[in-house]
Amino acid sequence: AKRAGRGRVMTFTPALHAELKRIRKRSDQIQYGLEKGEFIPYFQPQVDARTGMISGCEVLARWNHPDEGLIPPDEFIPVAEQIRVVQDIDRTVFLQALDALERLRAVDLTLPKMSFNVSVGRILDPDIIRSVRSLQINGTQVAFELLESILLEEEGAVFEHHLDLLKECGVDIEVDDFGSGRASIIGVMRVAPNTIKIDRRLIQPMVEDDAVCGLVQAIVDIGRTLQIDVTAEGVETLEHAHVLSSMGCKTLQGYALARPMPESQLAGFLQGYRPL
Ligand code: C2E
Ligand code: CA
Ligand code: CA
Ligand code: CA
């Protein structure tokens, strides 16, 4: 038996052994999947709450596993973080999404903005500044979404320096899952983000719960006061969309508007899109 925190005794049971074996197998598969190019971008369109027009999209990683099919990020990002390859996933997803943008442009389609989820590992990646400096995308704003929880931790000098360089290169910084953690408004504002994304766990209970509704309104008001754009994610119903736009929320994202989709469906979606 092994001691594990707070005096608890962790027994090396067959179940634990099986779990460790599973994680090890997953890690090997992730490394191999990276070599095989199995990690791909999906795209979820975002809509301007006022005009109803497409204002951009969030890029979401998917693992196109040869045997298991499409695996969602919650099943591989945490393992990838542990074995320190998450920056490689972030990088390949980023490059592929930019290629997709190029192909859209070739058929006269464009996106005003493309937002990427980035891990701490990716911000610390020496390659990130180089790949952003050499970016040549006309007319599409690149944004990096960082979790609120990351921005509240002290990540050190390299992290802050890279964040500054990214801003100098014209990359927008968005605070993801705003309101989900021990939200310190001062802590988040220190980063001077362009956008805050209200966590979907605040959007969903909004219509049944007046207190949550007031909280969401307060976040929108903070954004207006500080001249920071506010995006709501997890917009699942037209009622959500209606309430959020009357609150003054700038951008909407969620199943009510569009689900995340592969590149093969994106052009068709953009071509056929009509505001609600
Ligand atoms: P997130 O950044 O909060 O992304 C939004 C998640 O909400 C996505 O889940 C999206 O599919 C889902 N979603 C969108 N609209 C709705 C809705 O109306 N209702 C509900 N219930 N969900 C909605 P997904 O794609 O499974 O991604 C999960 C998380 O994995 C993301 O959460 C993000 O933190 C992380 N992630 C995704 N792609 C990447 C990546 O390329 N790199 C890194 N480091 N993390 C990623
Ligand atoms: Ca995100
Ligand atoms: Ca989020
Ligand atoms: Ca999340």
Side-chain angles (χ1 to χ4, degrees):
K2 236 186 139 191
R3 288 218 153 257
R6 289 182 186 268
R8 273 187 297 126
V9 171
M10 199 169 84
T11 325
F12 201 76
T13 59
L16 183 59
H17 187 73
E19 176 65 7
L20 287 174
K21 225 175 124 183
R22 195 188 62 84
I23 293 175
R24 194 164 320 125
K25 183 166 167 232
R26 261 295 185 243
S27 323
D28 291 347
Q29 287 181 328
I30 290 175
Q31 309 263 21
Y32 188 70
L34 266 164
E35 284 164 30
K36 293 278 170 193
E38 290 170 6
F39 294 91
I40 57 165
Y42 262 49
F43 304 88
Q44 186 175 31
Q46 298 174 326
V47 164
D48 182 310
R50 213 167 41 78
T51 63
M53 302 301 285
I54 303 288
S55 59
C57 76
E58 178 174 4
V59 177
L60 295 157
R62 294 290 180 269
W63 185 1
N64 196 4
H65 194 284
D67 309 322
E68 296 174 42
L70 218 54
I71 302 179
D74 289 340
E75 285 179 39
F76 60 84
I77 295 286
V79 182
E81 272 170 348
Q82 287 206 336
I83 59 172
R84 294 170 207 269
V85 295
V86 72
Q87 64 274 19
D88 301 320
I89 295 178
D90 287 355
R91 188 188 311 113
T92 176
V93 166
F94 178 71
L95 295 174
Q96 291 176 73
L98 292 180
D99 287 346
L101 191 62
E102 209 48 56
R103 287 185 284 270
L104 284 178
R105 205 174 296 283
V107 292
D108 266 337
L109 289 167
T110 186
L111 285 162
K113 187 166 86 174
M114 200 173 246
S115 306
F116 298 88
N117 293 286
V118 287
S119 54
V120 178
R122 179 61 176 148
I123 293 288
L124 296 175
D125 188 350
D127 170 74
I128 195 170
I129 305 300
R130 209 175 326 125
S131 68
V132 163
R133 279 214 175 109
S134 62
L135 267 186
Q136 295 217 339
I137 346 175
N138 322 316
T140 299
Q141 176 67 50
V142 169
F144 284 170
E145 299 187 5
L146 284 148
L147 292 173
E148 181 190 67
S149 51
I150 292 175
L151 291 171
L152 292 180
E153 281 156 24
E154 197 48 74
E155 286 298 345
V158 177
F159 183 86
E160 308 228 326
H161 180 56
H162 278 195
L163 220 52
D164 286 341
L165 286 176
L166 289 172
K167 287 185 194 165
E168 279 169 30
C169 292
V171 172
D172 275 3
I173 302 297
E174 310 205 352
V175 178
D176 205 355
D177 295 0
F178 187 85
S180 66
R182 328 159 262 123
S184 144
I185 291 170
I186 291 170
V188 168
M189 294 321 151
R190 200 168 38 98
V191 180
N194 303 84
T195 302
I196 49 185
K197 295 188 78 173
I198 308 176
D199 193 86
R200 63 174 181 275
R201 284 158 292 183
L202 282 177
I203 303 303
Q204 269 134 35
M206 201 176 58
V207 269
E208 298 95 60
D209 191 333
D210 285 348
V212 176
C213 210
L215 197 55
V216 171
Q217 179 71 69
I219 295 175
V220 174
D221 292 341
I222 290 169
R224 188 182 300 116
T225 307
L226 298 175
Q227 294 178 302
I228 294 171
D229 290 341
V230 177
T231 298
E233 63 176 20
V235 179
E236 290 188 352
T237 66
L238 291 181
E239 191 183 2
H240 287 153
H242 179 75
V243 171
L244 286 160
S245 46
S246 63
M247 282 178 169
C249 185
K250 187 172 189 238
T251 307
L252 306 177
Q253 177 185 348
Y255 297 162
L257 304 150
R259 295 213 166 226
M261 61 186 83
E263 184 191 348
S264 60
Q265 289 169 22
L266 186 59
F269 177 87
L270 294 176
Q271 257 151 358
Y273 181 79
R274 299 286 172 274
L276 288 172

